[in-house]
Amino acid sequence: MKFFITGTIRSEKGPRAILTFTLLFFLVFLAMNVALLFAQTGLLPSQIAELHEPSTVMRLERTHVQLFLFTLVYVISASIFFQTRIGPGFKRFGLFAGALLTFFYIVSYPLLLTADALPVYLYSIATIAVHLWYALLIGYLLYDLYAPAGHLAPEHPVSGEH
């Protein structure tokens, strides 16, 4: 935890190897989740409507699992993202976009009460968007962990020099 508090996650004594393993594990989780979703419901709206799960209990159970897993992925990736060397505006946007996409993805599945077109399209878009978002975010986090200081924005801008 001290590395997140002090902001030294990229130091040689920092937890870079552990964070790298965690982020790679999250990429495997995303790939497995996409494979599971594709096998269970498909990712295209026509497949979702055809393979729709009619049981409310099963939809709620799946929502419960997705809520736990994606909240865990969001909290850990957001805490690493907060330590990146980009500006605060991009950080706010990234944290907000990640939370919003995760929320819409999680709540869109229980809304599939029927195989109507609008909920199916919303779920399909949310599924593809959230998985793509996290894959790109994790790629950026891995890049930021190992990029030399000169390749990204400075961690602490020097003020007063002209």
Side-chain angles (χ1 to χ4, degrees):
M1 279 315 267
K2 77 174 187 175
F3 298 108
F4 287 115
I5 294 168
T6 61
T8 57
I9 62 172
R10 285 176 295 283
S11 72
E12 291 302 319
K13 295 180 182 179
R16 260 199 298 195
I18 294 170
L19 292 176
T20 300
F21 174 74
T22 302
L23 292 172
L24 292 175
F25 178 77
F26 284 165
L27 280 177
V28 170
F29 161 72
L30 289 172
M32 296 303 290
N33 197 42
V34 166
L36 179 66
L37 292 174
F38 187 74
Q40 287 181 339
T41 62
L43 294 176
L44 300 174
S46 60
Q47 294 170 328
I48 294 169
E50 181 181 319
L51 300 171
H52 174 67
E53 172 63 54
S55 170
T56 303
V57 173
M58 290 306 295
R59 282 198 312 272
L60 288 176
E61 181 62 30
R62 182 166 158 193
T63 301
H64 172 258
V65 170
Q66 296 287 46
L67 178 64
F68 173 75
L69 293 174
F70 273 92
T71 300
L72 182 69
V73 169
Y74 175 78
V75 168
I76 292 173
S77 62
S79 64
I80 299 169
F81 183 68
F82 189 72
Q83 298 292 327
T84 60
R85 296 174 268 194
I86 61 173
F90 285 117
K91 286 181 186 177
R92 280 191 300 271
F93 171 75
L95 293 172
F96 179 73
L100 195 63
L101 281 172
T102 303
F103 174 76
F104 281 124
Y105 168 65
I106 291 169
V107 301
S108 65
Y109 188 71
L111 295 178
L112 291 173
L113 300 175
T114 63
D116 292 335
L118 182 61
V120 168
Y121 276 101
L122 290 176
Y123 173 72
S124 180
I125 291 168
T127 300
I128 293 167
V130 78
H131 286 84
L132 185 61
W133 170 260
Y134 278 112
L136 293 173
L137 176 64
I138 290 169
Y140 173 73
L141 294 175
L142 288 169
Y143 173 73
D144 184 73
L145 278 174
Y146 290 96
H151 284 75
L152 299 169
E155 292 184 45
H156 304 288
V158 179
S159 61
E161 292 184 11
H162 295 288

